[in-house]
Amino acid sequence: ARVLEIARRLSRGEGLGAAEEEEEEEEEGCRRHREPLEVFCKEDGALLCAICRESRAHRAHTVLPVPEAVREYTEQIQAGLQTLKDDRDKLLELREAEMRRNW
């Protein structure tokens, strides 16, 4: 649910990239077409309805079904988190080694 909320924010231009007004969504879906949001445009970071998906603005873009997009971004977040944990562990080891050396 949290990742989906992030995707929704991205579609409103509140994150990685600015989305056009036609892709902005409300609770019921696409604001312009009043259709359900079915796919995620990877290039624009926006949730799209079927009509927006076929528009010239997105026709050549890579899109994923919303559940698949959520899964992909969840995996990316988990991979990034693991990298951060590994870096933290290395820094803690260096800190501990430096403290022992100073003693």
Side-chain angles (χ1 to χ4, degrees):
R2 177 81 175 119
V3 174
L4 186 56
E5 177 59 30
I6 290 169
R8 284 185 179 134
R9 286 184 192 166
L10 289 173
S11 75
R12 292 190 301 256
E14 297 176 7
L16 299 174
E20 298 175 17
E21 279 188 35
E22 71 183 54
E23 290 89 32
E24 289 185 2
E25 52 86 20
E26 296 176 343
E27 292 298 318
E28 55 277 350
C30 175
R31 182 177 289 175
R32 184 172 185 191
H33 303 111
R34 303 238 185 253
E35 294 286 325
L37 301 170
E38 298 174 350
V39 295
F40 180 76
C41 176
K42 291 180 77 172
E43 280 81 353
D44 295 327
L47 293 171
L48 307 174
C49 72
I51 298 169
C52 289
R53 164 64 182 112
E54 295 304 318
S55 70
R56 277 185 251 146
H58 300 283
R59 192 175 298 148
H61 292 176
T62 303
V63 296
L64 298 171
V66 172
E68 188 177 319
V70 169
R71 182 175 36 261
E72 182 177 308
Y73 281 100
T74 300
E75 290 170 1
Q76 289 177 0
I77 290 169
Q78 289 174 342
L81 181 59
Q82 186 60 47
T83 300
L84 290 172
K85 287 179 179 179
D86 293 344
D87 290 347
R88 181 196 65 198
D89 292 343
K90 288 177 187 175
L91 287 171
L92 289 173
E93 289 174 14
L94 288 171
R95 178 178 167 219
E96 186 177 325
E98 185 65 26
M99 289 177 71
R100 277 193 304 248
R101 192 180 70 134
N102 286 337
W103 279 101

